[in-house]
Amino acid sequence: MKISKTNAIEVQNVTKIYGSGESSVKALDNANLIIYDNEFFTLLGPSGCGKTTLLRLIAGFEDITNGRINLFNEELISLPPNKRPVNTVFQQYALFPHLNVFENVAFGLRRLDKNNDFVIKRSNEVLELVQMQDYALRRPNQLSGGQQQRIALARALAPEPKVLLLDEPLSALDLKLRQAMRVELKTLQKETGITFVFVTHDQEEALTMSDRIAVINQGSIQQIGNPEEIYEKPSNQFVANFIGEANLILGKCEKTGINGICKLQTGHKISINIPDKFNKDDNLTIFIRPERIKINKSKGSSLSQIQEFTYLGNAAHIELLSNGVSVNATLPIDKVKNFKKGDKIEIEFPKSFAQIINT
Amino acid sequence: MLNLMFKRKKFSKVWDFPGFLTWTFFFFGFLYIPIVILVIYSFNSSKFAMIWTGFSFRWYEKLLTNDDMQQAALNSLYVAFVAAPCATAIATLTALVVVRGGSFKSKEFSNGLVTLPLMVPEIVTAVATLIFFAFIGINLGLINVMIAHTVFCIPFAYMPIKASLEAMDPTLEVAARDLYSDRNSTFRYITLPLLMPGILSGFMLAFVISIDDFIITLMVAGGGSTTLPVYIYSMIKMGVTPEVNAISTLMLAFSIILVTGYWVFSKKS
């Protein structure tokens, strides 16, 4: 992965409060993040978490309550949206219904007073980039959802923005199209070299497309990292649960250190790295992904029993009850084809994948 | 469920309801038969409006030589062509403030105040306007009529404009701002073109209402500034001749042409 470390966007102590007095809502609470140039950056979180608010603040559609946003080291907040060299792809596309596809794409260039030859050349170039050059004379309402999506992209890319903002642009498409557009968007970002800031609530979308992800919940940034970091080393329980499936198992510290020992409520005693800030007998929460759990046939006195066995085709999802605590495991189908509901089995928490997680 | 399906099936066509067709014929009959009769009798050669003696353009020819009538018709057009655009412009600005002006305290109140004249009995407005003009001492003949018409046409122009502004997706304006449009060019290139059908129907409505108005005009118009409806009324007082039918038919034709023109235009765009 090649990321030049120029800062494209710096979000500094940004707070946004809607309304005033008792009815006020804090949409963003002291958010800080840096988005690098050339990066595919995703703002991920459940609906109402403040991710779209942050995007609208960058675009200039909302007034900031507190804080600062820089674009390539230049203060952005005092500029109206039309003076900001960023463009937005809207969730419902917001194509201008009274203009044809070409004029939609050319709109930004015309407002920038580019000469007509350039407008025509550039618009055709962008239409070609999204493979819509044959549709230039159609009206937006004569296009399918996916085609409208491409025009919205072309329109936002035409003025060569320094940063492209995308507000859940794939959410209105059906699954097949969405998956195809993911690849296309990613390719487009690489080809154009423009920094993309992508807002989504879909964790799969975020993991497959992004260079880096910021997970947001209730107006606060929970974690910033690349997809692997976010998935493998979630900084807290919210991130662990929101990105994929997670087992969060309570336990008691028996020994701290690199080869620490933790006694889980499932009855298992596992070896795990426990930092020295913890003390013996402290309560811990252990996080492990379902696909990291290992299963063996029981050799006798097993603690765990299969409660539910769900066939997923290439894998199987197993719900276990171990000492009264529920544990989920997802395993390749050939490893579990001999198991069935009610079987007693041994489970193992590999040291390299189990970790202590903050609440 | 089965019962519901059965019922649906039974009344799948609205004219399957007992009495529906009869009532519909009565309804449209009462609405349009008098007008049809009026048009037919305008081609009556008889001097009396209600006795048919033969087909003729006699009354239309007579209208062509009637200078008073022509002056009244011109007055009506002058008034409508001044009042309707003025009312439409004011109504457009009002709608923009009410719908796009964010939330301000007196928003609902303003909206109510603008549309209230639709509910006030016209005779009250007419008398009030008359007294008001007398009170402030404006006596400019036809201009008085124009001012009065502009004012009472505003709510008529306002309703369709407000409706189409409310139906317009505000994200489009945000998108234009995002694409380097300042406030003025956003209005010029996005809001105004998208609002045009609404503005046109507002204008049409105001124009027709102005041409059509009788009560207020009767009060406000002095000598020499008679409009067509007032003139027709004065003709009737001297007995209904087919000339009245002829002039009414012409007005009707004018309205139909106007509405058809608008309809064709709005279908095209």
Side-chain angles (χ1 to χ4, degrees):
Chain A
M1 192 168 15
K2 194 188 96 205
I3 294 174
S4 64
K5 293 286 186 182
T6 317
N7 293 359
I9 290 180
E10 291 157 3
V11 173
Q12 297 169 347
N13 308 321
V14 167
T15 299
K16 171 69 187 173
I17 298 170
Y18 288 106
S20 58
E22 279 178 26
S23 61
S24 70
V25 178
K26 207 176 219 177
L28 268 180
D29 188 9
N30 203 25
N32 281 288
L33 60 86
I34 290 172
I35 298 168
Y36 300 120
D37 192 16
N38 239 333
E39 189 173 39
F40 197 120
F41 193 91
T42 298
L43 302 171
L44 174 67
S47 50
C49 74
K51 55 193 192 303
T52 298
T53 301
L54 183 53
L55 199 78
R56 291 175 67 87
L57 286 172
I58 297 171
F61 308 147
E62 307 275 358
D63 292 327
I64 202 162
T65 310
N66 231 323
R68 206 183 141 90
I69 298 175
N70 292 344
L71 180 78
F72 291 97
N73 294 319
E74 273 176 51
E75 212 268 38
L76 203 58
I77 295 307
S78 54
L79 298 174
N82 52 311
K83 302 267 192 219
R84 300 187 186 195
V86 298
N87 290 128
T88 309
V89 177
F90 293 87
Q91 188 168 9
Q92 301 298 333
Y93 319 137
L95 297 176
F96 305 129
H98 59 302
L99 301 177
N100 66 25
V101 164
F102 182 87
E103 285 303 324
N104 262 283
V105 174
F107 190 88
L109 296 166
R110 293 206 194 284
R111 296 294 87 74
L112 285 169
D113 284 327
K114 303 283 184 200
N115 78 54
N116 199 38
D117 292 343
F118 178 78
V119 173
I120 292 170
K121 182 174 151 275
R122 175 67 186 156
S123 303
N124 284 326
E125 202 176 281
V126 189
L127 278 172
E128 211 165 307
L129 190 68
V130 297
Q131 295 155 24
M132 289 294 290
Q133 62 273 38
D134 297 339
Y135 296 85
L137 297 178
R138 300 234 190 142
R139 287 286 176 99
N141 62 8
Q142 295 169 307
L143 302 177
S144 70
Q147 291 169 331
Q148 290 185 24
Q149 166 74 80
R150 283 157 195 266
I151 299 309
L153 255 172
R155 185 179 70 174
L157 283 170
E160 298 184 77
K162 289 188 173 165
V163 172
L164 186 73
L165 308 171
L166 302 105
D167 185 8
E168 308 211 20
L170 306 183
S171 60
L173 304 176
D174 61 53
L175 183 66
K176 265 265 165 353
L177 204 54
R178 200 156 65 219
Q179 285 169 342
M181 282 305 286
R182 276 182 202 164
V183 182
E184 265 187 60
L185 269 181
K186 183 76 193 162
T187 317
L188 209 58
Q189 192 263 329
K190 288 270 170 276
E191 275 175 20
T192 56
I194 293 173
T195 309
F196 277 33
V197 182
F198 185 89
V199 163
T200 185
H201 61 263
D202 184 327
Q203 44 103 1
E204 198 184 316
E205 226 165 76
L207 291 176
T208 50
M209 296 165 77
S210 320
D211 294 324
R212 288 195 310 144
I213 299 170
V215 184
I216 305 178
N217 187 36
Q218 293 179 341
S220 317
I221 295 175
Q222 306 289 317
Q223 187 175 5
I224 302 172
N226 64 38
E228 198 182 325
E229 284 164 0
I230 300 271
Y231 187 79
E232 300 289 353
K233 301 226 175 305
S235 65
N236 61 36
Q237 297 190 8
F238 172 81
V239 179
N241 273 319
F242 191 72
I243 317 286
E245 218 185 325
N247 288 301
L248 298 167
I249 302 163
L250 295 174
K252 245 189 176 56
C253 175
E254 294 210 331
K255 184 177 150 234
T256 60
I258 295 210
N259 292 312
I261 292 171
C262 176
K263 178 138 173 49
L264 299 177
Q265 284 187 350
T266 53
H268 299 83
K269 235 182 214 187
I270 63 165
S271 171
I272 185 172
N273 180 6
I274 303 176
D276 288 331
K277 66 175 180 181
F278 293 102
N279 299 311
K280 189 170 183 300
D281 291 337
D282 274 359
N283 288 320
L284 303 174
T285 305
I286 306 298
F287 154 81
I288 187 165
R289 293 284 178 203
E291 68 273 17
R292 299 302 189 193
I293 288 176
K294 284 196 172 139
I295 288 188
N296 297 308
K297 259 254 176 344
S298 175
K299 289 171 199 134
S301 60
S302 170
L303 298 159
S304 315
Q305 191 174 24
I306 297 180
Q307 296 292 305
E308 209 62 64
F309 186 100
T310 314
Y311 178 76
L312 300 174
N314 56 351
H317 186 88
I318 296 170
E319 203 185 310
L320 299 155
L321 203 62
S322 190
N323 204 16
V325 178
S326 156
V327 178
N328 291 307
T330 309
L331 292 154
I333 197 73
D334 52 331
K335 293 220 170 141
V336 292
K337 58 184 166 208
N338 296 326
F339 294 118
K340 59 183 189 299
K341 192 176 164 178
D343 280 358
K344 292 220 165 192
I345 51 172
E346 300 281 351
I347 55 174
E348 217 181 285
F349 304 90
K351 187 180 172 185
S352 48
F353 297 116
Q355 55 194 295
I356 295 167
I357 191 160
N358 302 321
T359 47
Chain B
M1 192 66 195
L2 199 71
N3 190 22
L4 194 78
M5 277 168 67
F6 178 68
K7 267 188 183 162
R8 276 250 182 91
K9 184 116 188 139
K10 194 174 172 192
F11 293 119
S12 63
K13 290 189 180 102
V14 71
W15 47 82
D16 287 344
F17 282 98
F20 177 81
L21 278 183
T22 322
W23 280 109
T24 308
F25 280 125
F26 265 108
F27 170 73
F28 283 114
F30 269 105
L31 257 185
Y32 289 114
I33 288 172
I35 296 178
V36 172
I37 291 173
L38 175 132
V39 172
I40 292 170
Y41 274 81
S42 72
F43 298 103
N44 190 358
S45 64
S46 159
K47 190 161 96 169
F48 302 102
M50 284 302 133
I51 302 159
W52 182 265
T53 53
F55 183 86
S56 122
F57 284 113
R58 174 180 165 199
W59 300 106
Y60 288 91
E61 281 157 24
K62 196 168 175 217
L63 277 181
L64 285 177
T65 56
N66 183 341
D67 290 341
D68 285 351
M69 193 285 300
Q70 283 177 17
Q71 187 54 51
L74 273 180
N75 283 348
S76 272
L77 286 178
Y78 287 152
V79 170
F81 270 115
V82 172
C86 289
T88 310
I90 295 169
T92 307
L93 294 177
T94 313
L96 283 167
V97 171
V98 170
V99 181
R100 286 287 193 267
S103 56
F104 54 96
K105 246 184 180 167
S106 52
K107 188 168 171 168
E108 281 305 307
F109 181 69
S110 311
N111 185 41
L113 216 54
V114 174
T115 49
L116 191 64
L118 296 174
M119 263 75 85
V120 174
E122 204 184 342
I123 186 71
V124 175
T125 313
V127 173
T129 312
L130 175 67
I131 293 170
F132 182 71
F133 277 133
F135 180 72
I136 61 171
I138 296 181
N139 190 9
L140 304 166
L142 211 52
I143 294 179
N144 275 19
V145 182
M146 287 169 182
I147 294 171
H149 278 220
T150 301
V151 173
F152 80 76
C153 281
I154 290 171
F156 291 97
Y158 173 75
M159 299 302 274
I161 295 172
K162 178 172 175 259
S164 76
L165 196 56
E166 276 169 342
M168 191 196 303
D169 179 5
T171 320
L172 296 174
E173 285 159 3
V174 175
R177 293 303 306 279
D178 186 58
L179 292 161
Y180 312 106
S181 240
D182 58 25
R183 282 177 195 281
N184 291 339
S185 51
T186 300
F187 181 74
R188 184 174 156 200
Y189 294 109
I190 302 300
T191 316
L192 194 59
L194 287 171
L195 202 53
M196 230 10 167
I199 292 176
L200 271 178
S201 34
F203 173 81
M204 289 275 314
L205 204 55
F207 193 89
V208 170
I209 294 286
S210 167
I211 286 273
D212 186 50
D213 181 71
F214 173 70
I215 301 175
I216 291 173
T217 318
L218 183 70
M219 295 281 178
V220 176
S225 49
T226 307
T227 62
L228 204 49
V230 176
Y231 181 77
I232 292 173
Y233 179 69
S234 66
M235 282 171 86
I236 290 174
K237 279 200 288 195
M238 292 181 269
V240 185
T241 65
E243 200 178 351
V244 174
N245 291 25
I247 204 171
S248 305
T249 304
L250 287 180
M251 276 184 85
L252 185 68
F254 183 70
S255 297
I256 290 174
I257 289 168
L258 219 62
V259 173
T260 313
Y262 166 70
W263 188 76
V264 169
F265 177 82
S266 64
K267 282 278 151 186
K268 258 189 195 162
S269 67

